[in-house]
Amino acid sequence: MKRNKIALIGGGQIGGNLALLAAQKELGDIVIFDIPQAEGMTKGKALDIMQLRPHDGYDVNLTGSSDYADIKDTDVVIITAGVPRKPGMDREDLLNINIKIITDVANNVKKYAPNSFVIVLSNPLDAIVYSFYKISKFAKNQVVGMAGALDTSRFRTFLSMETGYSVQDIQCIVLGGHGDTMIPIIRTATIGGIPIAELIPEDTLEAIVQRTRVAGGEIVKLFGNGSAYFAPAQSAIEMAESYLLDKKRVIPCAALCEGEFGINGYFIGVPTVIGSGGVEKILEFQLTEEENSALQNTLQHVKKTIEEIGL
Ligand code: APR
C-alpha cells in the first residue's frame, strides 16, 4: 500500500508542530514547504523530527523544501503560510499580507496537488479559506478551514478547568466565524451526557463563553510575538486524520455553505462530517432565534472582510 503524502505549506510555528504530530500519528510522508529564505529551516525541522522517529519507531519520511514541485501528488495540504498576530491586532489586520500569500499558495497547490484535500489555517480564517477556494477553483468538499475544532477544544478546556472534570467527557460545539463573534452553543454542551447548565451557574458559563471568544487573543498577549500553535496544529491533524482514515468525524469547520443555516456562498464554522470524500456533509440542526441572530451577526463580519478582498 502506498503511503499517504502530506504537504505543510508554511513551516513556521504551527507548521513545525503539524509535522511532529503527523509523524507521531504515522499519517504519511511529510513535506514541509516554505519560502526560499526559510528553506534551511524547513530542512532542519524535517531532519530534527526524522531523528526522533527511532525512539518510537514512526516509519514516515520528512523533507523540507521551497520548491513546489516537491508537493506533487499530495493527499492532504495544510496551509499555515502567512503572518501571525501580534498583541493589539485582530485577525482582520492580517488580511492584506495574507491575501497575497494565499493567492500564490492557491495557484501552486492547484498546479501541483490538484486532487488534494486542503485544510487552511491562515487568518483571517473565513476570508482566507474563501479566497483559496475562489482562486484554486477546487471542489467545495476539497477545501475546509480549521477554526471550530480549535474553538471547541478551547471551550471544552475552560469548562474542564472550571469543573475539574475530564476534558474527555465534555462535549460541545462552537459555530460561526473564527473571531470574537463566534458562537459557543451552550444548550448543546454536556459533561458526561449531563446538560452543562445543570452543573455550572449561568454567570460562570457566560464568563467561559466570553473567554472562549477571545482565547486566541489571550495567548497572543501572553506570547507577545505570535499566536497559538500547539492546539491549532492538533486541531488540524484531527481533521486530516479523519479524511485519511475515512473516520467520518463530526467536527465544526469553516465549510462552504450553500443554503445550510440560511447561509449562501460563504465559508463559516458549521458542523461537518469529514471522511474520504473530504467535507462529506454539513450537519444542519435547528437553531434558536438568539443563536440564529448571533450566526447572522458573525456572518456579517465574514462578509465585510470578504468584500474588502473583492474576489
Ligand atoms: N509561501 C509559503 N510559506 C510562506 C509564505 C508563502 N508565500 N509566506 C510566508 N510563509 C511562511 C513564513 O515564512 C513562516 O515560516 O509561513 C510561515 C508562518 O509561520 P509563523 O510565522 O511561525 O506563523 P504561525 O504561528 O505558524 O501561524 C501561521 O496560521 O493561525 C494562523 O494567524 C496565524 O496566519 C497565521 C498562520
mmCIF file of all heavy atoms in Angstrom, residues 9-15 33-35 38 41 68 79-85 94 98 101 104-105 121-123 227-229 232, ligand 1:
data_model
loop_
_atom_site.group_PDB
_atom_site.id
_atom_site.type_symbol
_atom_site.label_atom_id
_atom_site.label_comp_id
_atom_site.label_asym_id
_atom_site.label_seq_id
_atom_site.Cartn_x
_atom_site.Cartn_y
_atom_site.Cartn_z
ATOM 1 N N ILE A 9 2.184 23.708 3.958
ATOM 2 C CA ILE A 9 2.611 24.951 3.300
ATOM 3 C C ILE A 9 2.728 26.011 4.383
ATOM 4 O O ILE A 9 1.724 26.503 4.903
ATOM 5 C CB ILE A 9 1.609 25.399 2.208
ATOM 6 C CG1 ILE A 9 1.259 24.225 1.286
ATOM 7 C CG2 ILE A 9 2.183 26.579 1.425
ATOM 8 C CD1 ILE A 9 2.395 23.674 0.468
ATOM 9 N N GLY A 10 3.952 26.355 4.712
ATOM 10 C CA GLY A 10 4.246 27.182 5.886
ATOM 11 C C GLY A 10 4.867 26.260 6.917
ATOM 12 O O GLY A 10 4.210 25.325 7.397
ATOM 13 N N GLY A 11 6.128 26.498 7.184
ATOM 14 C CA GLY A 11 6.832 25.603 8.122
ATOM 15 C C GLY A 11 7.238 26.329 9.389
ATOM 16 O O GLY A 11 8.262 26.022 9.990
ATOM 17 N N GLY A 12 6.418 27.304 9.794
ATOM 18 C CA GLY A 12 6.732 28.089 10.998
ATOM 19 C C GLY A 12 6.315 27.348 12.265
ATOM 20 O O GLY A 12 6.502 26.134 12.379
ATOM 21 N N GLN A 13 5.727 28.103 13.186
ATOM 22 C CA GLN A 13 5.379 27.520 14.489
ATOM 23 C C GLN A 13 4.324 26.426 14.362
ATOM 24 O O GLN A 13 4.504 25.317 14.860
ATOM 25 C CB GLN A 13 4.854 28.609 15.431
ATOM 26 C CG GLN A 13 5.866 29.677 15.775
ATOM 27 C CD GLN A 13 6.895 29.198 16.782
ATOM 28 O OE1 GLN A 13 7.256 28.023 16.849
ATOM 29 N NE2 GLN A 13 7.394 30.110 17.576
ATOM 30 N N ILE A 14 3.220 26.745 13.679
ATOM 31 C CA ILE A 14 2.178 25.712 13.545
ATOM 32 C C ILE A 14 2.692 24.613 12.615
ATOM 33 O O ILE A 14 2.526 23.418 12.887
ATOM 34 C CB ILE A 14 0.840 26.282 13.009
ATOM 35 C CG1 ILE A 14 0.345 27.419 13.898
ATOM 36 C CG2 ILE A 14 -0.218 25.184 12.928
ATOM 37 C CD1 ILE A 14 -0.935 28.079 13.438
ATOM 38 N N GLY A 15 3.354 25.011 11.531
ATOM 39 C CA GLY A 15 3.854 24.042 10.548
ATOM 40 C C GLY A 15 4.769 23.003 11.194
ATOM 41 O O GLY A 15 4.649 21.800 10.932
ATOM 42 N N PHE A 33 6.975 22.781 3.485
ATOM 43 C CA PHE A 33 7.296 23.750 2.433
ATOM 44 C C PHE A 33 7.280 25.163 3.009
ATOM 45 O O PHE A 33 6.416 25.512 3.811
ATOM 46 C CB PHE A 33 6.254 23.652 1.305
ATOM 47 C CG PHE A 33 6.461 24.677 0.236
ATOM 48 C CD1 PHE A 33 7.215 24.378 -0.892
ATOM 49 C CD2 PHE A 33 5.941 25.964 0.369
ATOM 50 C CE1 PHE A 33 7.439 25.343 -1.877
ATOM 51 C CE2 PHE A 33 6.167 26.927 -0.598
ATOM 52 C CZ PHE A 33 6.907 26.617 -1.720
ATOM 53 N N ASP A 34 8.229 25.978 2.568
ATOM 54 C CA ASP A 34 8.214 27.398 2.971
ATOM 55 C C ASP A 34 8.918 28.203 1.885
ATOM 56 O O ASP A 34 9.412 27.637 0.894
ATOM 57 C CB ASP A 34 8.877 27.584 4.346
ATOM 58 C CG ASP A 34 8.279 28.740 5.145
ATOM 59 O OD1 ASP A 34 8.355 29.889 4.656
ATOM 60 O OD2 ASP A 34 7.737 28.508 6.237
ATOM 61 N N ILE A 35 8.968 29.508 2.059
ATOM 62 C CA ILE A 35 9.624 30.379 1.068
ATOM 63 C C ILE A 35 11.129 30.099 1.040
ATOM 64 O O ILE A 35 11.674 29.574 2.018
ATOM 65 C CB ILE A 35 9.362 31.876 1.396
ATOM 66 C CG1 ILE A 35 9.702 32.173 2.878
ATOM 67 C CG2 ILE A 35 7.926 32.232 1.118
ATOM 68 C CD1 ILE A 35 9.579 33.616 3.298
ATOM 69 N N ALA A 38 13.396 30.549 3.933
ATOM 70 C CA ALA A 38 13.192 29.672 5.095
ATOM 71 C C ALA A 38 13.454 28.205 4.750
ATOM 72 O O ALA A 38 13.112 27.306 5.512
ATOM 73 C CB ALA A 38 11.764 29.837 5.616
ATOM 74 N N MET A 41 15.407 26.266 7.319
ATOM 75 C CA MET A 41 14.578 25.983 8.499
ATOM 76 C C MET A 41 13.680 24.762 8.250
ATOM 77 O O MET A 41 13.536 23.892 9.112
ATOM 78 C CB MET A 41 13.758 27.240 8.821
ATOM 79 C CG MET A 41 12.880 27.178 10.029
ATOM 80 S SD MET A 41 11.194 26.736 9.645
ATOM 81 C CE MET A 41 10.662 28.065 8.581
ATOM 82 N N TYR A 68 7.893 24.030 -5.112
ATOM 83 C CA TYR A 68 6.528 23.492 -5.142
ATOM 84 C C TYR A 68 6.427 22.135 -5.847
ATOM 85 O O TYR A 68 5.505 21.369 -5.581
ATOM 86 C CB TYR A 68 5.566 24.498 -5.776
ATOM 87 C CG TYR A 68 4.898 25.393 -4.755
ATOM 88 C CD1 TYR A 68 5.202 26.748 -4.678
ATOM 89 C CD2 TYR A 68 3.961 24.893 -3.861
ATOM 90 C CE1 TYR A 68 4.582 27.581 -3.731
ATOM 91 C CE2 TYR A 68 3.337 25.711 -2.918
ATOM 92 C CZ TYR A 68 3.652 27.045 -2.863
ATOM 93 O OH TYR A 68 3.040 27.831 -1.926
ATOM 94 N N ILE A 79 -2.369 24.412 5.145
ATOM 95 C CA ILE A 79 -1.782 25.735 4.859
ATOM 96 C C ILE A 79 -1.740 26.627 6.108
ATOM 97 O O ILE A 79 -2.778 26.970 6.679
ATOM 98 C CB ILE A 79 -2.596 26.449 3.759
ATOM 99 C CG1 ILE A 79 -2.604 25.590 2.488
ATOM 100 C CG2 ILE A 79 -2.022 27.842 3.480
ATOM 101 C CD1 ILE A 79 -3.542 26.095 1.406
ATOM 102 N N THR A 80 -0.536 26.984 6.488
ATOM 103 C CA THR A 80 -0.356 27.972 7.569
ATOM 104 C C THR A 80 0.505 29.127 7.078
ATOM 105 O O THR A 80 0.965 29.934 7.872
ATOM 106 C CB THR A 80 0.314 27.341 8.810
ATOM 107 O OG1 THR A 80 1.613 26.857 8.426
ATOM 108 C CG2 THR A 80 -0.502 26.213 9.377
ATOM 109 N N ALA A 81 0.757 29.174 5.772
ATOM 110 C CA ALA A 81 1.582 30.254 5.215
ATOM 111 C C ALA A 81 0.932 31.588 5.560
ATOM 112 O O ALA A 81 -0.274 31.749 5.426
ATOM 113 C CB ALA A 81 1.685 30.091 3.703
ATOM 114 N N GLY A 82 1.751 32.518 6.001
ATOM 115 C CA GLY A 82 1.207 33.829 6.353
ATOM 116 C C GLY A 82 1.877 34.372 7.578
ATOM 117 O O GLY A 82 2.833 33.779 8.085
ATOM 118 N N VAL A 83 1.373 35.501 8.022
ATOM 119 C CA VAL A 83 1.932 36.065 9.259
ATOM 120 C C VAL A 83 0.920 35.880 10.384
ATOM 121 O O VAL A 83 -0.283 35.927 10.156
ATOM 122 C CB VAL A 83 2.280 37.568 9.107
ATOM 123 C CG1 VAL A 83 3.479 37.748 8.197
ATOM 124 C CG2 VAL A 83 1.095 38.370 8.608
ATOM 125 N N PRO A 84 1.428 35.671 11.598
ATOM 126 C CA PRO A 84 0.517 35.573 12.742
ATOM 127 C C PRO A 84 0.281 36.942 13.383
ATOM 128 O O PRO A 84 0.946 37.917 13.037
ATOM 129 C CB PRO A 84 1.280 34.651 13.694
ATOM 130 C CG PRO A 84 2.727 34.884 13.397
ATOM 131 C CD PRO A 84 2.815 35.358 11.966
ATOM 132 N N ARG A 85 -0.645 36.981 14.334
ATOM 133 C CA ARG A 85 -0.967 38.237 15.026
ATOM 134 C C ARG A 85 0.101 38.640 16.031
ATOM 135 O O ARG A 85 0.809 37.799 16.572
ATOM 136 C CB ARG A 85 -2.263 38.048 15.825
ATOM 137 C CG ARG A 85 -3.486 38.112 14.989
ATOM 138 C CD ARG A 85 -4.696 38.285 15.863
ATOM 139 N NE ARG A 85 -5.148 37.054 16.500
ATOM 140 C CZ ARG A 85 -6.094 37.013 17.435
ATOM 141 N NH1 ARG A 85 -6.635 38.131 17.876
ATOM 142 N NH2 ARG A 85 -6.495 35.863 17.949
ATOM 143 N N LEU A 94 -4.497 41.048 9.514
ATOM 144 C CA LEU A 94 -3.540 40.258 8.735
ATOM 145 C C LEU A 94 -3.945 40.150 7.267
ATOM 146 O O LEU A 94 -3.188 39.643 6.443
ATOM 147 C CB LEU A 94 -3.442 38.836 9.315
ATOM 148 C CG LEU A 94 -3.144 38.719 10.809
ATOM 149 C CD1 LEU A 94 -3.259 37.263 11.243
ATOM 150 C CD2 LEU A 94 -1.756 39.254 11.120
ATOM 151 N N ASN A 98 -1.774 38.431 4.182
ATOM 152 C CA ASN A 98 -2.074 37.010 3.985
ATOM 153 C C ASN A 98 -2.862 36.725 2.708
ATOM 154 O O ASN A 98 -2.804 35.618 2.172
ATOM 155 C CB ASN A 98 -2.779 36.445 5.226
ATOM 156 C CG ASN A 98 -1.788 36.252 6.367
ATOM 157 O OD1 ASN A 98 -0.582 36.430 6.189
ATOM 158 N ND2 ASN A 98 -2.269 35.890 7.545
ATOM 159 N N ILE A 101 -0.302 36.182 0.043
ATOM 160 C CA ILE A 101 0.352 34.878 0.231
ATOM 161 C C ILE A 101 -0.573 33.746 -0.235
ATOM 162 O O ILE A 101 -0.152 32.847 -0.956
ATOM 163 C CB ILE A 101 0.770 34.711 1.708
ATOM 164 C CG1 ILE A 101 1.878 35.738 2.037
ATOM 165 C CG2 ILE A 101 1.224 33.298 2.000
ATOM 166 C CD1 ILE A 101 2.292 35.796 3.497
ATOM 167 N N ASP A 104 -0.694 33.193 -4.044
ATOM 168 C CA ASP A 104 0.465 32.440 -4.542
ATOM 169 C C ASP A 104 0.335 30.949 -4.183
ATOM 170 O O ASP A 104 0.523 30.065 -5.022
ATOM 171 C CB ASP A 104 1.723 33.060 -3.901
ATOM 172 C CG ASP A 104 2.972 32.287 -4.238
ATOM 173 O OD1 ASP A 104 3.168 32.023 -5.433
ATOM 174 O OD2 ASP A 104 3.746 31.954 -3.307
ATOM 175 N N VAL A 105 -0.050 30.693 -2.942
ATOM 176 C CA VAL A 105 -0.171 29.300 -2.479
ATOM 177 C C VAL A 105 -1.255 28.570 -3.283
ATOM 178 O O VAL A 105 -1.050 27.449 -3.752
ATOM 179 C CB VAL A 105 -0.490 29.259 -0.959
ATOM 180 C CG1 VAL A 105 -0.818 27.847 -0.514
ATOM 181 C CG2 VAL A 105 0.671 29.827 -0.147
ATOM 182 N N LEU A 121 -5.416 27.218 7.592
ATOM 183 C CA LEU A 121 -5.375 27.751 8.958
ATOM 184 C C LEU A 121 -5.064 29.243 8.991
ATOM 185 O O LEU A 121 -5.269 29.903 10.004
ATOM 186 C CB LEU A 121 -4.296 27.034 9.802
ATOM 187 C CG LEU A 121 -4.678 25.714 10.463
ATOM 188 C CD1 LEU A 121 -4.781 24.606 9.436
ATOM 189 C CD2 LEU A 121 -3.688 25.334 11.547
ATOM 190 N N SER A 122 -4.524 29.772 7.891
ATOM 191 C CA SER A 122 -4.064 31.168 7.895
ATOM 192 C C SER A 122 -5.237 32.108 8.176
ATOM 193 O O SER A 122 -6.356 31.885 7.703
ATOM 194 C CB SER A 122 -3.424 31.520 6.551
ATOM 195 O OG SER A 122 -2.517 30.515 6.168
ATOM 196 N N ASN A 123 -4.961 33.170 8.889
ATOM 197 C CA ASN A 123 -6.001 34.127 9.297
ATOM 198 C C ASN A 123 -5.987 35.394 8.443
ATOM 199 O O ASN A 123 -4.957 35.727 7.876
ATOM 200 C CB ASN A 123 -5.773 34.486 10.769
ATOM 201 C CG ASN A 123 -6.421 33.470 11.688
ATOM 202 O OD1 ASN A 123 -7.580 33.118 11.496
ATOM 203 N ND2 ASN A 123 -5.671 32.991 12.665
ATOM 204 N N SER A 227 1.153 33.919 17.586
ATOM 205 C CA SER A 227 -0.113 33.374 18.090
ATOM 206 C C SER A 227 0.022 31.885 18.396
ATOM 207 O O SER A 227 1.066 31.283 18.153
ATOM 208 C CB SER A 227 -1.242 33.667 17.095
ATOM 209 O OG SER A 227 -0.904 33.264 15.797
ATOM 210 N N ALA A 228 -1.063 31.320 18.911
ATOM 211 C CA ALA A 228 -1.046 29.933 19.395
ATOM 212 C C ALA A 228 -0.611 28.955 18.308
ATOM 213 O O ALA A 228 -0.906 29.164 17.125
ATOM 214 C CB ALA A 228 -2.452 29.568 19.873
ATOM 215 N N TYR A 229 0.085 27.897 18.707
ATOM 216 C CA TYR A 229 0.478 26.913 17.692
ATOM 217 C C TYR A 229 0.304 25.452 18.086
ATOM 218 O O TYR A 229 0.114 24.614 17.223
ATOM 219 C CB TYR A 229 1.912 27.147 17.199
ATOM 220 C CG TYR A 229 2.960 27.422 18.247
ATOM 221 C CD1 TYR A 229 3.670 26.385 18.828
ATOM 222 C CD2 TYR A 229 3.252 28.729 18.622
ATOM 223 C CE1 TYR A 229 4.652 26.651 19.774
ATOM 224 C CE2 TYR A 229 4.236 29.002 19.571
ATOM 225 C CZ TYR A 229 4.937 27.954 20.147
ATOM 226 O OH TYR A 229 5.896 28.220 21.080
ATOM 227 N N PRO A 232 -3.765 24.700 17.736
ATOM 228 C CA PRO A 232 -4.183 24.789 16.325
ATOM 229 C C PRO A 232 -3.651 23.611 15.502
ATOM 230 O O PRO A 232 -4.358 23.057 14.654
ATOM 231 C CB PRO A 232 -3.560 26.114 15.841
ATOM 232 C CG PRO A 232 -3.429 26.936 17.087
ATOM 233 C CD PRO A 232 -3.126 25.962 18.189
HETATM 234 N N1 APR B 1 4.561 30.543 0.926
HETATM 235 C C1 APR B 1 4.867 29.644 1.874
HETATM 236 N N2 APR B 1 5.106 29.979 3.160
HETATM 237 C C2 APR B 1 5.068 31.277 3.476
HETATM 238 C C3 APR B 1 4.750 32.279 2.532
HETATM 239 C C4 APR B 1 4.498 31.867 1.196
HETATM 240 N N3 APR B 1 4.197 32.738 0.237
HETATM 241 N N4 APR B 1 4.791 33.470 3.158
HETATM 242 C C5 APR B 1 5.110 33.237 4.448
HETATM 243 N N5 APR B 1 5.267 31.909 4.649
HETATM 244 C C6 APR B 1 5.684 31.199 5.849
HETATM 245 C C7 APR B 1 6.648 32.002 6.726
HETATM 246 O O1 APR B 1 7.967 32.005 6.158
HETATM 247 C C8 APR B 1 6.565 31.267 8.046
HETATM 248 O O2 APR B 1 7.548 30.251 8.180
HETATM 249 O O3 APR B 1 4.595 30.970 6.714
HETATM 250 C C9 APR B 1 5.156 30.631 7.993
HETATM 251 C C10 APR B 1 4.241 31.125 9.082
HETATM 252 O O4 APR B 1 4.768 30.692 10.294
HETATM 253 P P1 APR B 1 4.749 31.586 11.621
HETATM 254 O O5 APR B 1 5.160 32.979 11.283
HETATM 255 O O6 APR B 1 5.518 30.864 12.661
HETATM 256 O O7 APR B 1 3.194 31.651 11.981
HETATM 257 P P2 APR B 1 2.295 30.521 12.675
HETATM 258 O O8 APR B 1 2.224 30.770 14.134
HETATM 259 O O9 APR B 1 2.685 29.177 12.205
HETATM 260 O O10 APR B 1 0.858 30.919 12.089
HETATM 261 C C11 APR B 1 0.589 30.847 10.703
HETATM 262 O O11 APR B 1 -1.770 30.483 10.972
HETATM 263 O O12 APR B 1 -3.131 30.617 12.861
HETATM 264 C C12 APR B 1 -2.672 31.266 11.720
HETATM 265 O O13 APR B 1 -2.804 33.587 12.372
HETATM 266 C C13 APR B 1 -1.928 32.516 12.071
HETATM 267 O O14 APR B 1 -1.943 33.397 9.836
HETATM 268 C C14 APR B 1 -1.136 32.745 10.817
HETATM 269 C C15 APR B 1 -0.807 31.323 10.369
#
